[in-house]
Amino acid sequence: MSDTLNYLDAACYHAAPSFTHHLEGELPEPYRRDDELLTIMGPLRHTYWTRNVWKKPFTAEFGSISEASKILRGIQRNWAPYPAKLARRTTLIAEALPSLPNKPKAFPFSVPASPMGAFTLLDEHTLMASAECSSPWPNGEFEFIEDKEGPPSRAYRKLWEALVMADAMPGPGQRCVDAGACPGGWTWALAGLGAEVIAIDRAPIDERVAAMPGVTFMKHNAFTIKPEDIGPVDWFCSDVICYPPALYDWVMLWMES
Ligand SMILES: C[S@@+](CC[C@H](N)C(=O)[O-])C[C@H]1O[C@@H](n2cnc3c(N)ncnc32)[C@H](O)[C@@H]1O
């Protein structure tokens, strides 16, 4: 099988949705560009504006849809299609592969252990693919089963995503600061995991969230609260809308405490 694979001395960077322009600013001129996928020659580079990085891309020639799927299946089970072009043909290959575990998931859940590859078509008879990718989810995307009743805002999904990506969760016996907490989505998520939460905001918090076990609300300018005002914390969460340098200085205070 390896005879049919032509490994590239390159990596492919799949831009975060609508942020291709930002990604272009992080990388040299692409060797090739397939819609939001930039292939850059040379060793793997560190980037921020990616949803997924194809670490070891290869190309492979194939005659038929079943031959393309056989090449991919011969390497591993999971392959996410990226239909940059030839969308119908890409989808047909994906349909000939084992289906992906991409149903919305109930939070909390762990990062999947099985590898997730990605592929696209360069032309009708040439695959470009990588078995090794930076994200364990198809094209770096996963969905939660949303809670439309409990939280007072949809912002909790940002925190859920960050916790899943970090593969770490606060829990009972741990203290969290939630800065810029209102109306209370993040506090709702943290308290829902059983953690103690000190929620700080200049605006009022949702009453139902304030009444959750373990939640203490401080109506205050977050930046004037110092670590010694609160004592040791295990998790420091901030969704304050502000200039990044101001937040950085304040976070460093807590890191150093
Ligand atoms: C994006 S909202 C937070 C949403 C919240 N994480 C949630 O899940 O509902 C940003 C919040 O930052 C708060 N904020 C902005 N500047 C602040 C400051 N200096 N101190 C405290 N809160 C601040 C705003 O009042 C606002 O409620």
Side-chain angles (χ1 to χ4, degrees):
M1 182 66 67
S2 59
D3 291 352
T4 62
L5 310 183
N6 168 34
Y7 279 91
L8 309 175
D9 176 21
C12 308
Y13 302 81
H14 193 168
S18 312
F19 287 104
T20 309
H21 186 62
H22 285 57
L23 179 60
E24 281 168 344
E26 290 190 281
L27 292 169
E29 273 297 300
Y31 162 67
R32 59 174 297 136
R33 181 185 173 138
D34 298 274
D35 200 3
E36 294 180 327
L37 187 71
L38 308 183
T39 301
I40 311 288
M41 300 310 288
L44 197 62
R45 293 158 195 271
H46 182 72
T47 50
Y48 292 101
W49 297 99
T50 45
R51 61 163 85 177
N52 193 22
V53 179
W54 302 15
K55 295 182 179 180
K56 292 198 177 152
F58 61 83
T59 58
E61 307 277 311
F62 65 94
S64 63
I65 301 290
S66 64
E67 198 187 328
S69 84
K70 198 169 157 210
I71 292 172
L72 296 174
R73 264 185 293 133
I75 301 170
Q76 66 188 29
R77 182 192 186 282
N78 290 332
W79 292 94
Y82 177 53
K85 61 163 105 101
L86 297 162
R88 179 76 189 126
R89 200 160 167 80
T90 310
T91 305
L92 287 174
I93 296 170
E95 284 170 359
L97 289 163
S99 58
L100 295 178
N102 53 8
K103 285 199 188 119
K105 295 172 183 53
F107 179 86
F109 59 87
S110 306
V111 173
S114 44
M116 177 65 64
F119 73 93
T120 193
L121 290 185
L122 302 190
D123 61 46
E124 242 177 277
H125 294 289
T126 313
L127 280 168
M128 182 164 72
S130 175
E132 234 183 276
C133 288
S134 65
S135 173
W137 292 285
N139 293 319
E141 289 180 338
F142 59 89
E143 267 185 72
F144 296 112
I145 297 172
E146 277 196 55
D147 187 327
K148 295 190 173 155
E149 315 267 297
S153 71
R154 295 181 80 211
Y156 73 94
R157 298 180 315 155
K158 284 189 278 184
L159 184 64
W160 274 8
E161 182 177 350
L163 295 175
V164 169
M165 299 291 277
D167 208 12
M169 304 278 156
Q174 297 196 307
R175 288 184 97 209
C176 312
V177 162
D178 181 14
C182 293
W186 285 29
T187 296
W188 171 86
L190 294 165
L193 289 166
E196 185 191 337
V197 191
I198 297 130
I200 309 166
D201 204 298
R202 291 191 292 214
I205 197 165
D206 181 275
E207 282 172 16
R208 287 174 310 147
V209 174
M212 287 176 80
V215 173
T216 306
F217 178 56
M218 296 172 74
K219 195 165 186 303
H220 214 282
N221 177 359
F223 295 130
T224 58
I225 292 187
K226 299 192 173 52
E228 54 271 28
D229 299 330
I230 286 178
V233 296
D234 302 291
W235 290 78
F236 184 89
C237 309
S238 171
D239 199 14
V240 174
I241 296 171
C242 64
Y243 288 107
L247 182 62
Y248 180 82
D249 290 345
W250 188 54
V251 168
M252 289 317 286
L253 262 186
W254 291 81
M255 299 283 286
E256 285 155 12
S257 71

